Amino acid sequence: MATILDVAKLSGLSKTTVSRVINNHPYVSDKKRELVLKAMKELGYTPNPSARRLRGQLTTTIGVIVPRIVNPFFASLVNSIELAAYKKGHQVLICQSYEDKEKELAFLNLLKTKQVDGVIMTSIENDWEVIESYNEYGCILLCNDYVNQTVVPMVRLDQAKGAYLGAKHLIDRGHQKIAYCTGGLFDEQGKGKDRNQGFQKALKEAGIKINPKWIFIDQHTIEDGKQVIKQILEMEDRPTAIFTGSDEIAGGIIIEAKEQGITIPNDFAIIGFDDQPIAEIVDPKLTTIRQPVDQMGNKSIEVMIKMLENPALDIKNYELPIELIVRQST
Amino acid sequence: MATILDVAKLSGLSKTTVSRVINNHPYVSDKKRELVLKAMKELGYTPNPSARRLRGQLTTTIGVIVPRIVNPFFASLVNSIELAAYKKGHQVLICQSYEDKEKELAFLNLLKTKQVDGVIMTSIENDWEVIESYNEYGCILLCNDYVNQTVVPMVRLDQAKGAYLGAKHLIDRGHQKIAYCTGGLFDEQGKGKDRNQGFQKALKEAGIKINPKWIFIDQHTIEDGKQVIKQILEMEDRPTAIFTGSDEIAGGIIIEAKEQGITIPNDFAIIGFDDQPIAEIVDPKLTTIRQPVDQMGNKSIEVMIKMLENPALDIKNYELPIELIVRQST
DNA sequence: TTGTAAGCGTTATCAA
DNA sequence: TTGATAACGCTTACAA
């Protein structure tokens, strides 16, 4: 590989001048700039990022932490992040946390060693204090997931509103007995609390009481969805509608329901979350709450790069719109 | 961040000795090793990968090129690669080529600058000669896609056999009029040629002639599948079975067929390729050819790491099993 | 406007 | 068995 010295020699100039050209510094005469550019081209020269990194420069690499890439929601989020990053000349290092604290920390360690300029976290596993302690080593940006403090920029959706819209839609369709499936808990605090609040708000407004037997926590996959509907079918007192935290659970419910001879939306109305491709694949097609994934990816990269260029940037909260998509399952 | 010098100072030894401990070199007394280890722990020391890279060491980063991460097949391939790499202490840098030659090359350039130790290519866009020219800068491994020369290790499936099994299955079910959808071309050469061959072999053995009107090339998405079935329905002379190059196309066909009041498998038998999650989501569930994605990912990392440790490694071709999964669509 | 030289954190070479 | 030192490729004071 050609080095900066090779370029310097070929152009008959010093390393410094070459470096100045590479970094667009002022005080280089047009003539010499030409010379350098020509030599660079001739040698097919690319600056060595490791050396730049070592010297304390930017790495042009951004890390992204997702729970799992096979989850289509996160796949499309990574997709939009990668595309946006590439346009800006950055690479994307991905890490699947698999919801594991240790994996998450191992990845955040890349900040310490300047392997990545910054990390976009799409989910948070460790306590925020722990994660925050890495913030001194590089930029952290929260995308999708978030915390209550405003210590790092966040790109997020109004999940409470999304859940509210979904629940309200079911109520407007005449449902009073509504089950709730979440990937998190059904707490005031903790994972998924915003959606819980939105859901509860809608029910409260309609004067509906929540039946704790119809709350299913820690549900994630298609398989989980199948189990949920099985459990519901065994109940004496059944709900008439099911609100779910993801299209995958909703999809599982629809698939298994059909297997059991249940008609949707007649026997049960189902609503998903995310608007993943599966929403249009299942039959009946899924009513769901759309998360503007592409916008989230673009915004995250935009903000991240701004942060990198100007570390003193104001820390802001970017909220993106969320909307209800009505299809056939409700 | 603590550096090797800090560790040296704290342990009262030299950088060299510390380095020896880090790299498990011989000739370090147990006592001093202890000392170093203790100091490392106390300082929370992590070696700086940029410095190691610059010094010509391994980067513990492996690049993976996929056409697009939102394609579930590639998402699960990346998933298994990432998991296997993590176990071995490696990071994974992903690049979506979006089937773009330039993007592919931009990424291969990371090899030149020692940003990644090696690249796993799951698809090939540029001419092989072009790609091969990067092989001198680092390890290249082909996974899923392949070329005819054996210049780099390849982890692949017997696609011809897969296609043969699928076509044979349709024939065994009594079909004589079989359409063919491929993501590539219907050539002797070029993308997807193996599957073409397998398909053709099965038909030939059964004495069936191929109707060129029933060949659909360059089909990829669910949307494409919908278009295919629409076209078929407009034909005078229709096929009775459709062989597709991916579960997504097959899924699209099933979805649209249902919309049009067609019954599957009665009116048409459909067979997919990949055994993606969608295969079990559509109704009727999809008969398909399973590609052992996890095995491919694991094997690729295993071989890649072997190559990195021993660049003189024999270049081999690793072929993994492929099988037919019969469900309801045939 | 240009160049010299020091230094980023490692590891390999050589000498002790 | 240990340590001093040079080198990897780059950027940035500082000097000219």
Side-chain angles (χ1 to χ4, degrees):
Chain A
M1 271 304 295
T3 74
I4 199 171
L5 191 61
D6 298 324
V7 179
K9 278 183 189 155
L10 183 62
S11 58
L13 293 162
S14 72
K15 288 196 300 177
T16 312
T17 307
V18 177
S19 174
R20 287 206 180 94
V21 172
I22 295 168
N23 297 286
N24 277 314
H25 284 182
Y27 303 124
V28 183
S29 65
D30 287 352
K31 210 196 297 176
K32 314 234 156 165
R33 185 184 303 276
E34 283 305 314
L35 242 43
V36 170
L37 257 20
K38 197 175 142 236
M40 281 177 28
K41 196 169 219 171
E42 201 171 322
L43 293 168
Y45 168 77
T46 327
N48 181 320
S50 299
R52 294 182 124 179
R53 242 168 271 211
L54 192 53
R55 210 29 245 265
Q57 279 264 122
L58 294 187
T59 68
T60 73
T61 304
I62 292 169
V64 178
I65 302 181
V66 294
R68 18 171 65 85
I69 192 77
V70 292
N71 177 323
F73 172 74
F74 290 102
S76 48
L77 190 50
V78 167
N79 168 58
S80 64
I81 289 175
E82 202 270 340
L83 250 37
Y86 179 78
K87 270 192 209 139
K88 301 276 192 172
H90 286 252
Q91 282 89 45
V92 171
L93 198 63
I94 67 154
C95 164
Q96 307 195 69
S97 69
Y98 262 74
E99 287 152 37
D100 180 274
K101 294 189 179 189
E102 217 176 301
K103 261 201 106 174
E104 184 176 84
L105 289 186
F107 197 73
L108 284 170
N109 255 308
L110 298 180
L111 280 174
K112 270 200 190 176
T113 53
K114 286 277 165 284
Q115 291 252 68
V116 294
D117 297 326
V119 170
I120 296 175
M121 303 185 70
T122 68
S123 74
I124 304 174
E125 302 305 330
N126 285 274
D127 290 337
W128 178 247
E129 293 73 47
V130 180
I131 292 170
E132 205 186 332
S133 71
Y134 284 83
N135 199 22
E136 62 173 302
Y137 301 116
C139 300
I140 294 178
L141 180 146
L142 259 30
C143 169
N144 178 53
D145 208 345
Y146 71 96
V147 291
N148 284 323
Q149 301 115 79
T150 307
V151 216
V152 298
M154 291 185 265
V155 173
R156 50 170 296 223
L157 306 169
D158 189 342
Q159 301 282 346
K161 184 180 161 204
Y164 175 83
L165 286 176
K168 182 113 189 334
H169 170 72
L170 293 174
I171 295 164
D172 290 348
R173 284 278 205 262
H175 295 280
Q176 296 274 325
K177 301 166 84 174
I178 304 175
Y180 183 80
C181 297
T182 168
L185 307 168
F186 196 67
D187 278 354
E188 288 299 300
Q189 297 306 320
K191 250 187 185 169
K193 63 177 183 310
D194 285 0
R195 292 190 187 174
N196 298 345
Q197 282 167 14
F199 178 76
Q200 295 188 34
K201 183 179 164 210
L203 267 64
K204 202 170 183 183
E205 278 181 16
I208 301 175
K209 263 193 113 177
I210 289 168
N211 183 339
K213 285 191 182 156
W214 299 337
I215 304 296
F216 300 83
I217 61 170
D218 199 23
Q219 305 295 317
H220 299 271
T221 63
I222 291 176
E223 197 44 51
D224 290 340
K226 291 184 181 176
Q227 295 309 320
V228 164
I229 185 71
K230 279 185 190 164
Q231 288 181 45
I232 287 179
L233 290 175
E234 279 172 8
M235 292 178 178
E236 288 282 301
D237 184 22
R238 296 181 192 167
T240 62
I242 310 173
F243 179 105
T244 73
S246 84
D247 289 352
E248 297 191 282
I249 307 172
I253 291 176
I254 289 180
I255 293 165
E256 181 63 26
K258 208 155 34 182
E259 204 105 317
Q260 306 270 349
I262 304 296
T263 322
I264 289 170
N266 297 353
D267 296 333
F268 295 104
I270 315 281
I271 188 164
F273 214 110
D274 291 347
D275 197 24
Q276 292 177 15
I278 186 180
E280 296 214 85
I281 295 171
V282 288
D283 175 33
K285 292 178 184 165
L286 195 58
T287 292
T288 189
I289 293 139
R290 172 177 296 164
Q291 309 212 50
V293 180
D294 286 353
Q295 279 184 52
M296 281 172 53
N298 286 329
K299 194 72 190 172
S300 298
I301 286 294
E302 181 195 321
V303 175
M304 172 60 82
I305 288 181
K306 261 194 210 148
M307 282 167 84
L308 295 174
E309 286 168 353
N310 170 19
L313 194 74
D314 275 5
I315 290 158
K316 269 196 218 151
N317 217 316
Y318 302 85
E319 193 165 284
L320 269 28
I322 197 162
E323 63 179 318
L324 178 72
I325 307 291
V326 180
R327 294 204 182 88
Q328 306 159 342
S329 69
T330 53
Chain B
M1 271 303 294
T3 76
I4 199 171
L5 190 62
D6 298 325
V7 179
K9 277 185 191 156
L10 184 60
S11 59
L13 293 161
S14 72
K15 288 196 298 178
T16 313
T17 306
V18 177
S19 175
R20 286 206 179 93
V21 172
I22 295 168
N23 297 286
N24 276 314
H25 284 184
Y27 303 124
V28 183
S29 65
D30 287 352
K31 210 196 296 176
K32 312 234 157 163
R33 184 184 304 277
E34 283 305 315
L35 241 43
V36 170
L37 256 21
K38 197 176 142 233
M40 279 174 34
K41 196 168 217 173
E42 201 170 323
L43 293 167
Y45 167 77
T46 328
N48 182 320
S50 299
R52 296 181 122 180
R53 244 169 269 212
L54 190 54
R55 212 34 250 265
Q57 279 264 124
L58 295 187
T59 68
T60 72
T61 304
I62 292 170
V64 178
I65 302 181
V66 293
R68 19 170 64 84
I69 193 77
V70 293
N71 177 323
F73 172 75
F74 289 104
S76 46
L77 191 51
V78 167
N79 169 57
S80 63
I81 289 174
E82 202 270 340
L83 250 36
Y86 179 77
K87 271 193 208 138
K88 300 275 192 174
H90 285 252
Q91 281 90 47
V92 171
L93 199 62
I94 67 155
C95 165
Q96 307 195 70
S97 70
Y98 262 73
E99 285 151 40
D100 181 273
K101 294 190 180 188
E102 216 177 302
K103 259 201 108 174
E104 185 176 83
L105 289 186
F107 197 72
L108 284 171
N109 256 308
L110 299 181
L111 281 175
K112 271 202 193 176
T113 52
K114 287 276 166 286
Q115 291 252 68
V116 294
D117 297 326
V119 170
I120 296 176
M121 302 185 70
T122 68
S123 75
I124 303 175
E125 302 306 330
N126 285 275
D127 290 336
W128 179 245
E129 294 72 48
V130 180
I131 292 170
E132 206 185 331
S133 70
Y134 284 84
N135 199 22
E136 60 172 303
Y137 301 116
C139 300
I140 294 179
L141 179 145
L142 259 31
C143 168
N144 178 55
D145 208 344
Y146 71 98
V147 291
N148 285 322
Q149 303 115 81
T150 308
V151 216
V152 298
M154 291 186 267
V155 173
R156 49 171 297 225
L157 306 169
D158 188 344
Q159 302 281 347
K161 184 180 160 204
Y164 175 83
L165 286 176
K168 181 115 190 337
H169 170 72
L170 294 173
I171 294 165
D172 290 348
R173 285 277 205 263
H175 295 280
Q176 297 274 324
K177 303 167 81 171
I178 304 175
Y180 183 81
C181 297
T182 168
L185 308 167
F186 197 67
D187 278 353
E188 289 297 302
Q189 297 304 321
K191 248 187 187 169
K193 63 177 182 312
D194 286 1
R195 292 190 187 175
N196 298 345
Q197 282 167 16
F199 177 76
Q200 296 188 35
K201 184 178 162 212
L203 268 64
K204 204 172 184 181
E205 278 182 15
I208 301 174
K209 264 192 109 178
I210 288 168
N211 183 339
K213 285 191 181 155
W214 298 337
I215 305 296
F216 299 84
I217 62 170
D218 199 24
Q219 305 294 317
H220 300 270
T221 62
I222 292 176
E223 198 44 50
D224 290 339
K226 291 184 181 176
Q227 296 307 320
V228 165
I229 186 68
K230 279 185 190 163
Q231 287 182 46
I232 287 179
L233 290 174
E234 281 172 6
M235 292 178 179
E236 287 282 300
D237 184 22
R238 296 181 192 168
T240 63
I242 310 173
F243 178 105
T244 72
S246 84
D247 288 351
E248 297 192 281
I249 308 171
I253 292 178
I254 289 180
I255 293 165
E256 181 64 25
K258 207 154 37 179
E259 205 106 314
Q260 305 270 348
I262 304 295
T263 322
I264 288 170
N266 296 352
D267 297 334
F268 295 105
I270 315 281
I271 188 164
F273 215 111
D274 291 347
D275 197 24
Q276 291 176 15
I278 186 181
E280 296 213 86
I281 295 172
V282 289
D283 175 33
K285 292 178 184 166
L286 195 58
T287 293
T288 190
I289 292 137
R290 171 178 297 166
Q291 309 212 51
V293 179
D294 285 354
Q295 279 183 53
M296 283 176 44
N298 286 328
K299 194 72 191 172
S300 298
I301 285 296
E302 181 196 320
V303 176
M304 173 58 84
I305 288 181
K306 262 194 209 149
M307 282 168 83
L308 295 174
E309 286 169 351
N310 170 18
L313 195 74
D314 275 7
I315 290 159
K316 270 195 220 153
N317 216 316
Y318 302 85
E319 194 166 280
L320 269 27
I322 198 162
E323 64 180 318
L324 178 72
I325 307 292
V326 180
R327 294 203 181 90
Q328 306 161 341
S329 68
T330 53

